[in-house]
Amino acid sequence: MAKTPTPHNGANYGDIAKTVIMSGDPLRAKMIAETYLTDAKQYNSVRGMLGYTGTFDGRQFSVQGHGMGIPSIGIYSYELFHFYDCDTIIRLGTCGGLDPNVKIGTVILAETACTDSNYGYQYNLPEGYVPSATPELLEAAAASAQKLGIPVMRGKVFSSDVFYNDAEKQAQWCSDGVIGVEMEAAGLYINAFEAGKKALTILTVSDNIATGEALSAIDRQLSLKNMIQIAFGMI
Ligand code: HPA
């Protein structure tokens, strides 16, 4: 409590809800807060990493950006779990599809991840090991998607430290049934595991690395809406 505000987050203790929906892009967090929350109040603008608290269905929720990559989500999620006593983080992001059969626009529930990051080293986790998403969140998201009639894939994703990565190196990580590549799920799952908190990553496939396809601007908005609706349907 005494640690708030932090160097990265201007919120005071109590300004942030127990459940936080996060997205890499702070402007997407703003859009989600303004579209889905009632009476959304901005609690952070440090480094432009916008965060808001408001109500949905009569309960308090927060929406915040987390930036790109494991070090960035590592900082923000650590502070939310440890300094703001948040219980649950649901990350909404995009990923590259790795299998030609993973169509762009598909929503993926990231059951677990593998990573080339060494982030887990500090918690004595074996190299590349990543804890799973919280099972009850996974089931809640699957049930929400089913109720909304939105098809989802469940599986393992590769949380890479590198966006412009070498194709052969990436393939080494992705031979074992990995369906998508992104850059944050592993950091979030490791932090949730260490803190004894809950986490889930929901992703929209924005491009397919095998086929070279990418979502158009219009399809991107529609697909992101599906993912956001699944998240609000599960909380
Ligand atoms: N790599 C990493 N992160 C991503 C990608 C990708 O190809 N697409 C969307 N997020």
Side-chain angles (χ1 to χ4, degrees), residues 94-96 162-163 165 170 181-183 206-207 209:
T94 58
C95 71
V162 188
F163 184 85
N165 39 22
Q170 179 164 291
V181 54
E182 50 84 85
M183 302 185 73
S206 58
D207 49 278
I209 285 143

Side-chain angles (χ1 to χ4, degrees), residues 1-14:
M1 196 183 304
K3 296 193 163 147
T4 62
T6 78
H8 319 99
N9 197 327
N12 290 308
Y13 185 82

Side-chain angles (χ1 to χ4, degrees), residues 60 77 86-87 89 94 106 128 130-131 159 166 168 180 186-187 192 197 210 215:
Q60 275 213 319
S77 61
C86 302
D87 291 336
I89 294 178
T94 58
T106 302
V130 181
S159 294
D166 177 87
E168 271 179 41
K197 306 277 178 129
L215 278 178

Side-chain angles (χ1 to χ4, degrees), residues 4-225:
T4 62
T6 78
H8 319 99
N9 197 327
N12 290 308
Y13 185 82
D15 286 349
I16 306 181
K18 293 288 176 200
T19 297
V20 186
I21 291 176
M22 301 194 83
S23 85
D25 178 355
L27 291 179
R28 190 173 302 151
K30 181 174 194 274
M31 179 278 283
I32 295 170
E34 287 174 350
T35 310
Y36 290 85
L37 297 182
T38 305
D39 294 332
K41 291 207 173 39
Q42 188 182 313
Y43 61 72
N44 189 45
S45 64
V46 177
R47 290 178 185 251
M49 202 53 76
L50 303 173
Y52 303 82
T53 299
T55 59
F56 177 80
D57 228 1
R59 289 179 298 140
Q60 275 213 319
F61 294 97
S62 293
V63 183
Q64 192 189 304
H66 61 59
M68 288 180 281
I70 290 174
S72 188
I73 196 170
I75 291 169
Y76 293 107
S77 61
Y78 187 95
E79 293 182 348
L80 291 173
F81 284 144
H82 288 274
F83 303 158
Y84 292 97
D85 282 344
C86 302
D87 291 336
T88 301
I89 294 178
I90 301 165
R91 155 168 153 70
L92 304 182
T94 58
C95 71
L98 288 168
D99 183 310
N101 297 316
V102 179
K103 297 270 173 283
I104 52 171
T106 302
V107 177
I108 289 179
L109 307 182
E111 286 182 329
T112 187
C114 56
T115 186
D116 55 0
S117 158
N118 208 17
Y119 190 78
Y121 172 77
Q122 64 187 324
Y123 303 125
N124 299 315
L125 296 175
E127 200 179 331
Y129 171 81
V130 181
S132 298
T134 306
E136 72 183 71
L137 294 183
L138 203 53
E139 294 315 320
S144 169
Q146 195 175 28
K147 202 167 161 199
L148 291 161
I150 300 168
V152 292
M153 281 183 85
R154 294 163 65 143
K156 190 197 276 189
V157 299
F158 174 46
S159 294
S160 180
D161 261 352
V162 188
F163 184 85
Y164 297 106
N165 39 22
D166 177 87
E168 271 179 41
K169 289 251 167 11
Q170 179 164 291
Q172 289 171 6
W173 284 98
C174 299
S175 51
D176 181 25
V178 174
I179 53 178
V181 54
E182 50 84 85
M183 302 185 73
E184 294 87 11
L188 175 61
Y189 291 176
I190 289 170
N191 272 359
F193 167 80
E194 182 272 336
K197 306 277 178 129
K198 297 178 196 169
L200 176 67
T201 294
I202 308 177
L203 301 163
T204 296
V205 179
S206 58
D207 49 278
N208 190 302
I209 285 143
T211 63
E213 281 178 291
L215 278 178
S216 67
I218 288 175
D219 288 345
R220 201 180 171 92
Q221 285 314 107
L222 185 70
S223 308
L224 294 175
K225 194 170 163 203

